[in-house]
Amino acid sequence: MLSLLGLEMYQAQKLSLQDSLQISSDSMKNWAPQAPKDLPWNFLRKLQALNAEARNTTMVLDVPPDTRPAEKESQVEEEIIYWDTADDISADIYSFSELPTPDTPVNPLDLLCALLLSSDSFLQQEIVLKMSLCQFALPLVLPDPENHYHTFLLWAMRGTVRTWGSQPPRAVGSFREDSVVLSRAPAFAFVRMEVSSNSKSQLLNAVLSPGHRQRDCFWHRDLNLGTNPREIADGLVEISWFLPSGREDLDIFPEPVAFLNLRGDIGSHWLQFKLLTEISSAVFILTDNISKKEYKLLYSMKGSATKYYFILSPYRGKRNTNLRFLNRLIPVLKMDPSHVLVKVSSTDSAGFVRRVRAIVAHVTRAPCRRVSVEDMAHAARKLGLKVDEDCDECQRAKDRMEQITRKIKDSDAYRRAELRLQGDPWRKAAQVERELCQAQWAGDPPERCRAELRHRLLELRTQQNGHDPAWGLQEFISGISSPSLGEKQYFLRWMEWGLARAAQPRPRASPETMLTLRAKHRGAVDFSEPLWPEPLGVEHFLREMGQFYEAESCLVEAGKLPAGQRRFAHFPGLALELLLKGLPLELIDGNTLSTPLRWVTGLLKELHIRLERRSRLVVLSVLGVPGTGKSTLLNTMFGLRFATGRGRGPRGAFMQLLTVAESFSQDLGCDHILVIHSGGLIGGVLTEAGERFEQEASLATLIMGLSNVTVVSLAETRDIPPAILHAFLRLEKTGHMPNYQFVYQSLQDASAHGSKPRERKQLLDEPRDASRATVQMEPQGGGIRTLAGLAFCDPEKQHVWHIPGLWHGVPPMAAVSLGYSEAIFELKRCLLENIRNGLSNQNKNIQQLIELVRRL
């Protein structure tokens, strides 16, 4: 199977997350796989884009012209091959492994198992996270029939966080967010014994689907290739959850419920079945026949606290034999006749689903076992299953994280005590640097004034340099300095989760105050700074490292410290390793609204050294007010890891690096794409004092000025943030205008399609009051101008995109809208086409980018 899918080369050196995110010529094609070797990459690409069709393994084969009938030569040169299962199976059980053929049909579950077996821990985690967002059932126990052991995927699950509501919905704390690994819920297992005419997966989908529209959470026999025989996926255990929305009219169950599905029959996979019986509140066994072998196996479960239910199709099996064995099992398994359900072709399907739901609801209302995925992993270890998280590198990284986070009782107090160089010291230094820069560009200010500013800056930096890194920062530096690349990556992930669960700040105002302010300001109030403190994250430790580097560099530049006595010169190199492995690094500090210039320059210099000959860059930025879907857009488009959810992510502007495949870099005209995300920097309103707005406008100008391509994310058709409009006006004067795209994201409607000319015209027409004030603030703006009046803006060109809503339905059980996925792909293709066709600003190398950062 691995050979057939082209994955045999990834058994010694596993496929990495960075491998899957490379930009290649395929990134611009919406193509169908033509051979089995295309299937893994097609799956990864569609999964990254949250495409609901990602699991479809139908192939489209090119048919040679000489084999095509003459009358069909004028038709398209592709034809879809729909596989069937009528082919004879060779008696040689090894024939499939030894003689794979290009036209062999592949079951989607085999593809998933083969890809997971070929991926490293971090790509496995990304696959599971994206599957969760697509509402696909998640792999919990991964079979490996070649090596005869099975792996419980605890680590792969750990990054998946879900939100759900409680009833009544307006109660205090009615919404809860937690990792699926840590939250406890009753679990229900569905298994097959020998042959069953009823499909477990279809039944599970029906139970999980509210209303009449069934969701295909579990892949089943009626989907494309669903009836294809599984070659390596038997023994796979999948899990999915029902999560309530808090609305009684929509929720099937009032609390989260886990559902487990074992692929294959229990007789062949007794270890997995034993695990399910130990972690489930109830087990549903689907079968047509109860054989003597299975009867003996079930009899061995005597004394189990788990409830057992049978779903039979007796007319297809040996009815009398079934009844005889059932009568013997009822006292052993503590069953009664109500635990035996019969479903035949004439059974009302909807009524049967309601009965199964009623059983689940009845069990959950009574005292029952509630387990987390961590609890399941403990049970798996006792049974001898391998747990992916138990490797030495992962455990050493976890121990170091726990040593750091154990000391965090209050995040604000921890920052003041342990991360001393940021906060007021950095804020004061940033203000002096800002004044010094303004004095430099203001013409000819008195030298005495500039000397005083330089002296104040030197004093502040000397105070910072007088500190030593606190114990927590030293441990963090040791973690990211590990010679083991795997341990370093494990440590970063553990730190992200550990800090998220450590004591985090509460809102500085109550929800009632927020609503009052929103009403008072007619919805145009910026909540980011005063009401919701920034949560403690990995970026704060890196920011502290940056301040040690900044202070030391400033003293070296001033001749107050010999270069040979530097202690922190290696910090940019440590941070660069994290950037190259996919961690976003801070470009602009969201607390001080300042750029640590020496730190950023040091990072870029290290990047230039590391990339050597492959240093041609395109800078792509995304700007917009918080809550307009910027992070989700970038994560879906490029597979990045920006924090999603308003108020959840850090406020600063962050950058991530995307690698362009060497085979495509010449065509695209660059070797890497540097993605800059404005985060929560742009508030979208004019403050009374105007100072913060001026800072926001300056930062928007900086980000857009660095960019070859800029995407402006809007929540409303005319909602252009004033700071961004201000930046457009400034950049128009310099002649440095990036290729730009306005993206209007519908936050509710999942059925809208395409760009709308009427909305495009509205966007370019007369500005609103806030935008009008913005233009008037620009000294050389020449009066009020519309966006359409700017020289760079052509209303006839396709600069405005309308993206459908992300969800199709009501979260948390909503599926991702196929329209959203397809629209994001088209936007991505447009951006890459513009880069390839040279419509963006001239591509730059890293040295040019360093100079541009300094000048801007």
Side-chain angles (χ1 to χ4, degrees), residues 547-703:
Q547 283 307 299
F548 274 107
Y549 181 84
E550 284 267 328
E552 189 177 75
S553 298
C554 183
L555 296 183
V556 171
E557 291 169 8
K560 301 294 184 181
L561 181 72
Q565 294 182 17
R566 298 195 65 163
R567 296 183 294 162
F568 311 121
H570 64 296
F571 279 7
L574 293 178
L576 177 66
E577 289 287 346
L578 311 185
L579 179 69
L580 294 174
K581 288 300 176 184
L583 185 78
L585 292 188
E586 194 171 53
L587 175 66
I588 298 172
D589 182 336
N591 281 346
T592 63
L593 297 183
S594 302
T595 301
L597 187 60
R598 296 174 186 85
W599 173 245
V600 171
T601 301
L603 284 171
L604 293 176
K605 285 180 178 177
E606 288 287 338
L607 183 63
H608 179 66
I609 294 169
R610 179 64 59 87
L611 298 184
E612 297 178 347
R613 62 184 180 84
R614 301 200 70 216
S615 63
R616 293 176 303 162
L617 274 182
V618 162
V619 180
L620 184 152
S621 62
V622 175
L623 293 90
V625 299
T628 54
K630 303 183 300 298
S631 299
T632 303
L633 182 146
L634 283 172
N635 295 349
T636 305
M637 193 181 299
F638 295 115
L640 302 179
R641 296 187 56 235
F642 292 114
T644 58
R646 184 169 185 168
R648 304 188 188 282
R651 292 194 189 91
F654 285 76
M655 53 188 178
Q656 272 192 262
L657 193 68
L658 287 167
T659 301
V660 178
E662 289 197 47
S663 58
F664 188 51
S665 59
Q666 196 62 37
D667 188 17
L668 193 62
C670 65
D671 302 304
H672 293 84
I673 297 176
L674 188 69
V675 179
I676 300 177
H677 178 12
S678 70
L681 288 178
I682 311 301
V685 294
L686 290 167
T687 59
E688 291 181 7
E691 181 181 351
R692 183 177 175 89
F693 167 76
E694 174 57 33
Q695 289 178 323
E696 288 183 1
S698 297
L699 295 173
T701 307
L702 167 63
I703 294 172

Side-chain angles (χ1 to χ4, degrees), residues 384-568:
L385 274 76
K386 174 186 172 185
V387 177
D388 59 353
E389 205 168 270
D390 290 349
C391 67
D392 291 341
E393 288 182 331
C394 183
Q395 290 306 306
R396 285 196 300 267
K398 181 182 180 182
D399 291 343
R400 190 185 296 275
M401 175 274 294
E402 288 176 341
Q403 290 175 20
I404 296 173
T405 57
R406 197 177 293 128
K407 295 183 179 295
I408 304 174
K409 307 302 180 187
D410 177 270
S411 60
D412 285 338
Y414 184 85
R415 268 182 281 202
R416 287 192 298 270
E418 297 287 320
L419 306 176
R420 298 184 288 264
L421 267 61
Q422 46 196 290
D424 283 341
W426 166 220
R427 192 174 287 109
K428 290 175 182 177
Q431 180 60 33
V432 174
E433 287 187 334
R434 194 178 292 119
E435 292 173 10
L436 192 59
C437 184
Q438 290 168 348
Q440 179 183 346
W441 292 95
D444 286 321
E447 177 58 32
R448 179 182 170 187
C449 174
R450 285 189 285 183
E452 285 180 359
L453 289 171
R454 283 194 290 267
H455 179 70
R456 281 170 54 198
L457 178 62
L458 200 58
E459 282 185 336
L460 290 166
R461 291 305 192 186
T462 302
Q463 290 174 16
Q464 285 184 308
N465 197 58
H467 292 285
D468 289 323
W471 178 86
L473 181 63
Q474 291 181 36
E475 282 295 304
F476 178 83
I477 293 168
S478 298
I480 64 173
S481 303
S482 170
S484 164
L485 177 60
E487 186 172 336
K488 189 183 306 184
Q489 289 180 278
Y490 278 120
F491 173 70
L492 278 171
R493 292 290 172 92
W494 277 120
M495 280 296 292
E496 290 175 6
W497 304 325
L499 291 171
R501 297 194 67 81
Q504 291 290 4
R506 293 184 176 87
R508 295 193 178 111
S510 65
E512 292 77 13
T513 305
M514 294 185 185
L515 292 172
T516 302
L517 281 171
R518 188 183 295 276
K520 180 179 177 182
H521 293 272
R522 297 181 182 177
V525 59
D526 182 9
F527 292 127
S528 59
E529 184 65 33
L531 297 178
W532 193 269
E534 187 177 22
L536 184 63
V538 169
E539 67 276 3
H540 291 93
F541 289 83
L542 290 168
R543 189 184 294 169
E544 188 79 356
M545 290 173 61
Q547 283 307 299
F548 274 107
Y549 181 84
E550 284 267 328
E552 189 177 75
S553 298
C554 183
L555 296 183
V556 171
E557 291 169 8
K560 301 294 184 181
L561 181 72
Q565 294 182 17
R566 298 195 65 163
R567 296 183 294 162
F568 311 121

Side-chain angles (χ1 to χ4, degrees), residues 203 206 214 343-356:
L203 177 59
Q214 181 167 308
K343 186 177 187 299
V344 294
S345 56
S346 59
T347 303
D348 173 30
S349 296
F352 188 82
V353 169
R354 286 195 297 271
R355 187 175 176 191
V356 173

Side-chain angles (χ1 to χ4, degrees), residues 237-282:
V237 177
E238 299 168 289
I239 186 170
S240 188
W241 286 265
F242 173 82
L243 298 171
S245 65
R247 291 176 51 179
E248 291 187 38
D249 58 326
L250 292 177
D251 291 341
I252 300 169
F253 309 109
E255 64 172 313
V257 181
F259 291 91
L260 299 137
N261 184 13
L262 171 62
R263 301 290 182 166
D265 80 290
I266 61 174
S268 303
H269 308 286
W270 186 249
L271 186 62
Q272 289 94 318
F273 177 65
K274 188 79 168 67
L275 173 65
L276 295 182
T277 63
E278 295 199 4
I279 63 178
S280 301
S281 299

